Amino acid sequence: MITSTTGPQPADFTDVRATNLAVVLRFVRENAPCSRADIAASTGLNKATVSSLVADLIDRRLVRETGLTENRVGRPATMLVLDGSPYAAAGIEVNVDYLTAVAVDLSGRRLLSWRRSFQGPAATPAQAVAEVARLARRAVARMVKEERQVLGLAVAVPGLVGVDGRVRLAPNLGWRDVDLAGDLAKALRDPGFPVQVDNDANLGALAEHRFGPFGGIGNLVYLTGEVGVGAGVILDGRLRRGGQGYSGEFGHIQIDPGGPECRCGRVGCLEAVAGIGAVVGRDAQGAPVSPAEVEPELDEVVRRARAGDRATLGMLAGVGGNLGRGVAVIANLLNPEVVVLGGYYVPLAPWLLPAAEAEIRRRTIAPEAGGCRLVASTLGYGAAALGGAARVLDSVDSGRLPHRG
Amino acid sequence: MITSTTGPQPADFTDVRATNLAVVLRFVRENAPCSRADIAASTGLNKATVSSLVADLIDRRLVRETGLTENRVGRPATMLVLDGSPYAAAGIEVNVDYLTAVAVDLSGRRLLSWRRSFQGPAATPAQAVAEVARLARRAVARMVKEERQVLGLAVAVPGLVGVDGRVRLAPNLGWRDVDLAGDLAKALRDPGFPVQVDNDANLGALAEHRFGPFGGIGNLVYLTGEVGVGAGVILDGRLRRGGQGYSGEFGHIQIDPGGPECRCGRVGCLEAVAGIGAVVGRDAQGAPVSPAEVEPELDEVVRRARAGDRATLGMLAGVGGNLGRGVAVIANLLNPEVVVLGGYYVPLAPWLLPAAEAEIRRRTIAPEAGGCRLVASTLGYGAAALGGAARVLDSVDSGRLPHRG
């Protein structure tokens, strides 16, 4: 999963063909409809090579010809578009109070998008595996019914996921050392496609990078705004997981040494001063609001903010400022082009962003925050599940092309 | 400089040969003495290809045969070692109070290592360029005298260096928008090799990654301990510069909102609470110690710490703790295998490390700090200059092989 190479890898001619198939497929995905001549002109591959590669991709039903021709001087060209109709990529998001399942085709078109309530903290890991497997089986059955081959499934978990895919620690689910990928593959009885597990923020970042309005951007950080706050770090176009896979633990960097205690036992963590718990506050007994009550409470906060309630606006400006202090750390250390706010941050963004942006500009040493923009996600709920599907598609893009089974 | 590609790039057969030449060269560098059969076995390239590639490398005087043979069953094999005797890679470090020049051969053996005093803040950028050019010319003249071809020069600057190589801001030198690479190339009158400029922490990280004891490590962060504190961030084996090249501004993340004012005007920056200024303190008038007095003051601190002076030990534990709070942010966000302390931190490491390590363990959410170790550099002063030479060698490793001129 992690490549820690410091230089070029050996290549041979078989690699070259697989690589070039992936290059052409990616070009068609990004530029369709396009002609073989367009592909040759943009990739630098010669026309005969392109024709041979396209024939192979058509054979695998990854690309198809359309009746369209380009309106230009000379012989009209047959235009190519992505096909991929026999394939699906699947993602599932495990959250504290719900499961989300998504499947997309090669072009990213949603084939299904389901949400189920789920009693995360109440379930044992074994019960959770059974429930995730049930959802996965139904999603796969639907795809099979549509005569699609599932290329892979990636599952998002809010916690530390090792580079081996084991869930080392998911505090909000009460999990410790759970081999979710292995258990799930067993529960699905060797499903014939790879099952992977990843951190939810990592997969959210992949979703934004592939399906959000940030296609060409090399450096993007995605922040989950769920019960916890995690970061998915994309630098130079790739997810950066760190040595053991535990990068992105943004929620527990200290923002305010004089701040409130965090659920993790530390003081003044970003999650404690800028997480959803700082917005919806505590119940009448002073206990944190339970996950199931977050959404109705959030709706109420948005309603009050819209109505111009001064206390609410002041609270959101404070939370936004704390969030900005955290994002400034990212801007100083990593200098990304964009930081994307996901989850519960999205409906709050109109009130969080101004205070956050002011703090980022003030605290970043590079002029104009080094070009770092803070934006709200436009992908809607389930970004991490969508990111699971994106991870499956990434493996196609990097050359693991499906064979028609 | 930045590649923000999200997928594979097209390859052709010329690329394949250049790539494979670099692969073989790198293998010999890391495994010499080795035989052609060793290369074939480890790289997966076939023996005929390896023989042809090795012949090419011998022709370029990058590799040479030794009289040695491996002691094994069957026909004895001719062993190969790195040659590179006709080549040199050069680096210069511009600091507030000194210039350092280094040149190395392909194997990293030091060919020269010079240090000159320099009045950074007193010099105009034009004067600084003239002085750096003078040092560069002398280094090049020495290499030419030794019949070596200089492959490139990279200059380290303590400040924000854009991806275009322009120095956007170097506060401790008083520079703003200086085209050092361009001006230097002009002053050297088109020297026939590329002149590059980079941030000093970035180059320090490259030096540690290539010449330090961390060869196989994918994720390494280097912290300069000069008058300023910067970070060079290597993830998955490559330097990560961010969107505009301004990553690694570690010195100005806020550690203590109640802390002292930083030279940058902000409050409680890491540089203010854990930089060298927090160690050597202020003079009798309350002004920060001038750069020229840092070294004698530092010697005095080390002497007192060795003698067991309690106030000194307490001060160093405090600074170490603050440094650890900063490194914990890196451990949480990036999960590197190692963070390397450079510059003035090195002589202080015996007293800084215990307090810093305790804070890192306490503040990192992953168990055992996610495997992140904090160590002192073993490269000695001038790591950034050495990193300049490393950057030149990196371009050879990635396939830009020299032609014998």
Side-chain angles (χ1 to χ4, degrees):
Chain A
M1 224 142 334
I2 281 190
T3 51
S4 63
T5 55
T6 56
Q9 295 300 297
D12 64 32
F13 300 148
T14 326
D15 287 345
V16 171
R17 188 164 175 93
T19 300
N20 287 344
L21 280 169
V23 166
V24 171
L25 181 62
R26 184 166 147 246
F27 184 86
V28 175
R29 177 165 62 74
E30 291 174 353
N31 300 281
C34 59
S35 69
R36 289 168 176 81
D38 295 336
I39 298 170
S42 292
T43 61
L45 297 165
N46 74 51
K47 287 185 186 179
T49 304
V50 169
S51 287
S52 156
L53 294 167
V54 166
D56 195 339
L57 293 173
I58 290 175
D59 199 49
R60 294 173 199 239
R61 292 185 58 192
L62 290 164
V63 161
R64 64 184 170 82
E65 295 183 335
T66 68
L68 290 169
T69 57
E70 226 174 27
N71 191 4
R72 61 177 171 190
V73 178
R75 195 157 61 91
T78 309
M79 301 304 275
L80 301 166
V81 294
L82 211 60
D83 182 2
S85 53
Y87 304 109
I92 288 181
E93 178 177 349
V94 179
N95 223 302
V96 176
D97 51 343
Y98 60 87
L99 301 176
T100 308
V102 164
V104 303
D105 68 9
L106 285 195
S107 67
R109 196 167 56 90
R110 297 237 193 163
L111 303 171
L112 67 82
S113 188
W114 294 339
R115 188 166 178 184
R116 298 283 145 91
S117 77
F118 170 63
Q119 302 304 321
T124 66
Q127 288 167 332
V129 167
E131 210 157 330
V132 172
R134 197 153 38 236
L135 186 60
R137 264 194 301 269
R138 294 190 64 165
V140 171
R142 168 70 68 90
M143 291 301 100
V144 168
K145 204 170 162 190
E146 293 182 6
E147 303 192 332
R148 290 176 187 273
Q149 178 189 338
V150 175
L151 297 174
L153 165 68
V155 181
V157 173
L160 297 174
V161 180
V163 289
D164 57 0
R166 286 183 76 92
V167 182
R168 181 76 193 263
L169 190 67
N172 298 331
L173 295 171
W175 293 7
R176 187 177 285 273
D177 280 314
V178 176
D179 179 16
L180 180 58
D183 292 349
L184 205 49
K186 258 180 246 156
L188 294 173
R189 292 183 193 167
D190 190 17
F193 53 79
V195 177
Q196 299 171 307
V197 172
D198 207 335
N199 170 271
D200 60 345
N202 284 349
L203 293 181
L206 289 184
E208 291 294 341
H209 199 243
R210 178 177 279 263
F211 301 119
F214 312 106
I217 282 180
N219 306 282
L220 175 155
V221 176
Y222 175 81
L223 302 182
T224 65
E226 303 298 335
V227 170
V229 180
V233 178
I234 288 178
L235 299 174
D236 295 336
R238 298 289 289 264
L239 205 51
R240 304 300 165 187
R241 299 168 183 280
Q244 300 188 343
Y246 302 150
S247 70
E249 289 302 323
F250 180 63
H252 302 284
I253 68 171
Q254 189 179 57
I255 297 298
D256 183 2
E261 193 176 321
C262 181
R263 287 173 305 123
C264 73
R266 297 173 186 84
V267 163
C269 292
L270 180 117
E271 208 166 289
V273 299
I276 194 66
V279 173
V280 299
R282 292 168 180 264
D283 67 16
Q285 282 72 47
V289 165
S290 83
E293 288 161 52
V294 166
E295 274 188 59
E297 288 275 342
L298 190 63
D299 286 347
E300 177 61 19
V301 169
V302 169
R303 194 194 59 73
R304 287 202 302 265
R306 282 213 184 104
D309 177 66
R310 292 188 56 167
T312 302
L313 294 176
M315 177 274 289
L316 289 174
V319 169
N322 287 335
L323 182 61
R325 291 163 74 174
V327 174
V329 171
I330 292 174
N332 274 316
L333 261 186
L334 302 177
N335 185 221
E337 287 94 336
V338 66
V339 174
V340 183
L341 299 176
Y344 297 131
Y345 284 136
V346 176
L348 298 171
W351 301 282
L352 297 177
L353 285 178
E357 284 166 344
E359 285 293 334
I360 296 166
R361 279 194 302 275
R362 188 176 307 142
R363 289 166 182 272
T364 305
I365 196 108
E368 293 104 46
C372 176
R373 287 184 304 140
L374 182 67
V375 303
S377 173
T378 53
L379 296 180
Y381 282 108
L386 189 59
R391 182 166 162 181
V392 173
L393 295 183
D394 281 352
S395 73
V396 175
D397 269 8
S398 59
R400 220 167 58 193
L401 298 189
H403 295 273
R404 199 61 188 120
Chain B
M1 225 144 329
I2 281 190
T3 53
S4 64
T5 57
T6 56
Q9 295 300 296
D12 64 33
F13 299 148
T14 326
D15 287 344
V16 171
R17 188 164 176 93
T19 300
N20 287 344
L21 280 169
V23 167
V24 172
L25 181 62
R26 184 165 148 246
F27 185 86
V28 174
R29 176 165 62 75
E30 291 174 354
N31 300 281
C34 59
S35 68
R36 288 168 177 80
D38 296 336
I39 298 170
S42 291
T43 61
L45 297 165
N46 74 52
K47 287 186 187 179
T49 304
V50 169
S51 288
S52 156
L53 295 167
V54 166
D56 194 340
L57 292 173
I58 290 175
D59 199 50
R60 293 173 201 239
R61 292 184 60 192
L62 291 165
V63 161
R64 64 185 170 81
E65 295 183 334
T66 69
L68 291 170
T69 56
E70 226 174 26
N71 192 3
R72 61 177 169 190
V73 179
R75 194 156 61 92
T78 309
M79 301 304 274
L80 301 165
V81 293
L82 211 59
D83 182 3
S85 55
Y87 304 108
I92 289 180
E93 178 178 349
V94 180
N95 223 303
V96 175
D97 51 343
Y98 60 87
L99 300 176
T100 307
V102 164
V104 304
D105 69 10
L106 286 194
S107 68
R109 195 168 56 90
R110 298 239 192 163
L111 302 172
L112 67 83
S113 189
W114 294 339
R115 190 167 177 181
R116 298 283 146 88
S117 77
F118 170 62
Q119 301 305 320
T124 65
Q127 288 168 332
V129 167
E131 210 156 330
V132 173
R134 195 151 41 234
L135 186 60
R137 264 194 301 268
R138 294 191 65 165
V140 171
R142 169 69 67 91
M143 291 301 100
V144 168
K145 203 169 165 192
E146 293 182 8
E147 302 191 334
R148 288 176 187 271
Q149 177 189 341
V150 175
L151 297 173
L153 165 68
V155 181
V157 173
L160 298 173
V161 179
V163 289
D164 56 1
R166 286 182 76 92
V167 182
R168 181 76 194 263
L169 189 68
N172 298 331
L173 295 171
W175 294 5
R176 187 177 284 274
D177 280 314
V178 176
D179 180 16
L180 181 58
D183 292 350
L184 206 50
K186 258 179 248 156
L188 294 173
R189 291 181 193 168
D190 189 17
F193 53 78
V195 177
Q196 298 170 307
V197 172
D198 208 335
N199 170 270
D200 59 346
N202 283 348
L203 293 181
L206 289 183
E208 290 294 341
H209 199 244
R210 178 177 279 264
F211 301 118
F214 312 105
I217 282 180
N219 306 281
L220 174 155
V221 176
Y222 175 81
L223 302 182
T224 64
E226 304 298 333
V227 171
V229 179
V233 178
I234 288 178
L235 299 174
D236 295 336
R238 299 288 290 263
L239 204 52
R240 304 299 166 188
R241 300 169 181 277
Q244 300 189 342
Y246 303 150
S247 72
E249 288 302 324
F250 180 63
H252 301 286
I253 68 171
Q254 189 179 57
I255 297 299
D256 184 359
E261 192 176 322
C262 181
R263 288 172 304 123
C264 74
R266 296 173 186 83
V267 164
C269 292
L270 181 118
E271 207 166 289
V273 299
I276 194 65
V279 172
V280 298
R282 290 166 182 267
D283 66 18
Q285 281 73 47
V289 166
S290 83
E293 286 160 55
V294 166
E295 274 187 60
E297 288 276 341
L298 191 63
D299 287 346
E300 176 61 20
V301 169
V302 168
R303 193 194 59 74
R304 287 201 304 263
R306 282 213 184 102
D309 176 66
R310 292 186 57 165
T312 301
L313 294 176
M315 177 274 290
L316 288 174
V319 169
N322 287 335
L323 181 61
R325 291 163 74 176
V327 174
V329 171
I330 291 174
N332 274 315
L333 261 186
L334 301 177
N335 186 220
E337 286 95 336
V338 66
V339 174
V340 183
L341 299 177
Y344 297 131
Y345 284 135
V346 177
L348 298 171
W351 301 281
L352 298 177
L353 284 178
E357 282 166 346
E359 286 292 335
I360 296 166
R361 277 194 303 276
R362 188 176 306 142
R363 290 166 181 272
T364 305
I365 196 104
E368 292 104 46
C372 176
R373 288 183 302 140
L374 183 67
V375 303
S377 173
T378 54
L379 296 181
Y381 282 109
L386 189 58
R391 183 166 162 181
V392 173
L393 294 183
D394 280 351
S395 73
V396 175
D397 269 7
S398 59
R400 221 168 56 192
L401 299 189
H403 295 272
R404 198 66 185 116

